[in-house]
């Protein structure tokens, strides 16, 4: 826990194995720590800072919520599943096996009917009808094609040891600037006007543009090595792209669809996941391989603070944020 005014670490507490993201609940009353290897979610009361008893959930790499708040969606990355849970008890209701490998990040269409998810290890995007609990399309980033028929699920991973080896080898390679796959889609964000999805691709060093109505690839924006996290500015004019391999943040204009600025971390770094402050003046990002949290001034791009934390910081959530409800991840609000 970090005080955003003083930048002091207020508290460090133990959770279960490999915490990945801190996710605000749909009703904004709870922060859920996603313990990927620990197969659990740890609740935090954001008003009091009190940590609750962990809840068993299988393979919670990431966590989202349907716009109506009736369903929690767990990205079970190593199992190639999207799990549908009760958002209050976190009990499993249904499992949907994916026709791709390594599902991890997502966002919803403006009407909330469809979810676009990224599949890191197969270089694909998947379109999911969450109400019907069905896959509607698969987009292959290698050739830009969209398949709406003949979609088959992959076999469940089953062998966790094999998955962990592949996962760790892939991320170790990325840490040293080597991409193990031709495409590695990461964070997904819908544009403020609801027409276009932006998808960071860590292997291609930039961001894909996907039409939110037709679900077809319409363009690509080069940003920097290891493009990873996507964050919309408070005025909705630009998109901040964390380039984990380049140690930089690209500022992409939604109107121009190109970078208009690049913020470099002095001496390099590994900016990953985070969020924009409520007043829009600060961009907070975890430093995945540097044991720090970065704080940028969004007016001039200066790095104003490095906050030392333990090794491997990842899914940083800055909270609270403006919004009626949370769609999940480290803070996707509507």
């Amino acid at each position: 826990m970090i005080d955003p005014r003083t930048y002091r670490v207020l508290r460090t507490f133990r959770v279960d194995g490999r915490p990945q993201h801190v996710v605000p609940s749909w009703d904004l009353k709870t922060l859920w720590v996603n313990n990927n290897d620990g197969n659990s979610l740890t609740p935090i009361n954001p008003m009091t800072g009190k940590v609750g008893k962990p809840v068993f959930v299988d393979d919670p790499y990431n966590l989202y919520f349907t716009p109506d708040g009736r369903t929690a969606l767990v990205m079970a990355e190593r199992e190639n599943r999207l799990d549908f849970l009760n958002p209050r008890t976190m009990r499993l209701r249904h499992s949907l096996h994916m026709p791709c490998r390594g599902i991890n990040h997502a966002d919803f269409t403006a009407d909330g009917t469809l979810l676009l998810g990224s599949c890191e290890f197969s270089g694909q995007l998947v379109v999911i009808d969450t109400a019907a609990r069905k896959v509607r399309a698969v987009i292959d980033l290698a050739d830009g094609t969209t398949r709406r028929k003949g979609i088959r699920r992959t076999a469940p991973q089953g062998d966790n040891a094999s998955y962990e080896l592949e996962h760790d080898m892939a991320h170790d390679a990325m840490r040293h600037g080597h991409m193990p796959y031709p495409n590695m889609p990461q964070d997904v964000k819908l544009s403020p006007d609801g027409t276009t999805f932006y998808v960071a691709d860590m292997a291609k060093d930039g961001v894909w543009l996907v039409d939110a109505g037709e679900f077809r690839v319409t363009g690509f924006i080069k940003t920097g090595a290891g493009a990873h996290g996507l964050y919309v500015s408070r005025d909705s004019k630009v998109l901040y792209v964390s380039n984990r391999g380049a140690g930089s943040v690209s500022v992409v204009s939604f109107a121009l669809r190109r970078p208009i600025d690049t913020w470099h971390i002095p001496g390099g770094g590994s900016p990953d996941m985070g969020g924009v402050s409520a007043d829009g003046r600060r961009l907070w990002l975890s430093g995945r391989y540097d044991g720090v949290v970065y704080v940028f001034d969004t007016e001039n791009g200066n790095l104003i603070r490095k906050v030392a934390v333990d090794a491997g910081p990842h899914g940083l959530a800055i909270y609270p944020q403006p919004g009626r409800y949370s769609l999940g991840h480290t803070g996707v609000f509507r």
Side-chain angles (χ1 to χ4, degrees):
M1 290 183 182
I2 302 171
D3 187 320
R5 292 162 295 187
T6 65
Y7 307 110
R8 289 180 56 244
V9 176
L10 301 177
R11 183 184 177 195
T12 300
F13 54 91
R14 289 280 178 187
V15 293
D16 291 334
R18 200 179 293 216
Q20 297 280 11
H21 301 97
V22 179
V23 177
S25 63
W26 181 87
D27 62 7
L28 312 178
K29 295 180 179 180
T30 305
L31 299 177
W32 292 103
V33 182
N34 298 187
N35 305 313
N36 200 179
D37 288 357
N39 295 314
S40 69
L41 299 174
T42 299
I44 302 171
N45 184 326
M47 297 297 291
T48 66
K50 183 178 180 180
V51 179
K53 183 179 179 181
V55 178
F56 172 80
V57 172
D58 187 31
D59 189 20
Y61 175 81
N62 214 337
L63 175 65
Y64 290 85
F65 300 92
T66 55
D68 60 10
R70 295 179 181 178
T71 304
L73 303 168
V74 166
M75 302 298 201
E77 186 184 53
R78 69 170 175 260
E79 302 292 347
N80 291 331
R81 292 194 323 252
L82 181 65
D83 287 343
F84 295 70
L85 280 63
N86 181 307
R88 288 167 294 279
T89 66
M90 294 300 175
R91 291 183 178 175
L92 181 66
R93 290 173 173 168
H94 178 76
S95 289
L96 179 63
H97 288 280
M98 294 289 99
C100 57
R101 296 178 58 248
I103 186 167
N104 54 27
H105 300 92
D107 200 355
F108 283 87
T109 54
D111 63 6
T113 59
L114 297 173
L115 178 83
L116 181 68
S118 61
C119 297
E120 179 178 19
F121 299 131
S122 60
Q124 297 169 306
L125 306 175
V126 59
V127 182
I128 300 164
D129 183 331
T130 56
R133 298 176 178 174
K134 291 183 178 181
V135 174
R136 296 301 188 193
V138 174
I139 302 169
D140 290 306
L141 292 175
D143 57 15
T145 60
T146 302
R147 292 183 289 119
R148 291 180 172 84
K149 294 182 180 180
I151 299 169
R152 297 181 180 180
R153 73 182 181 99
T154 60
Q157 286 292 105
D159 185 354
N160 290 350
S162 296
Y163 165 81
E164 294 297 344
L165 179 61
E166 177 183 27
H167 183 278
D168 290 346
M169 289 179 64
H171 281 264
D172 185 64
M174 288 184 284
R175 182 176 182 178
H176 294 91
H178 307 294
M179 292 300 153
Y181 308 104
N183 296 93
M184 294 189 72
Q186 303 294 315
D187 206 4
V188 180
K189 283 292 186 301
L190 183 68
S191 63
D193 64 6
T195 64
T196 306
F197 283 104
Y198 287 71
V199 182
D201 191 322
M202 200 151 50
K204 288 297 184 182
D205 303 333
V207 180
W208 295 99
L209 279 63
V210 178
D211 186 284
E214 298 295 327
F215 291 102
R216 57 184 177 84
V217 175
T218 59
F220 182 79
I221 302 170
K222 196 79 169 180
T223 60
H228 192 81
L230 306 175
Y231 310 96
V232 179
S233 64
R234 192 62 64 210
D235 61 10
S236 297
K237 292 182 179 180
V238 299
L239 181 72
Y240 304 119
V241 183
S242 62
N243 303 309
R244 196 168 79 186
S248 68
V249 174
S250 295
V251 183
V252 174
S253 166
F254 284 114
L256 301 176
R257 293 191 170 185
R258 63 174 175 81
I260 56 174
D261 200 1
T262 302
W263 307 339
H264 294 280
I265 297 172
S270 52
D272 200 290
M273 291 294 173
V276 179
S277 62
D279 62 9
R281 297 176 60 190
R282 301 287 184 263
L283 174 66
W284 289 70
L285 296 172
S286 59
R288 186 71 172 271
Y289 302 130
D290 293 273
V292 298
V293 166
Y294 307 112
V295 187
F296 294 88
D297 185 327
T298 58
E299 292 184 1
N300 55 31
N302 289 339
L303 179 68
I304 60 175
R305 192 64 62 112
K306 285 184 181 180
V307 182
V309 295
D310 286 340
H314 186 194
L316 180 153
I318 179 166
Y319 191 84
Q321 296 276 3
R324 297 168 295 159
Y325 53 86
S326 164
L327 294 180
H329 194 34
T330 56
V332 182
F333 298 94
R334 292 287 193 268

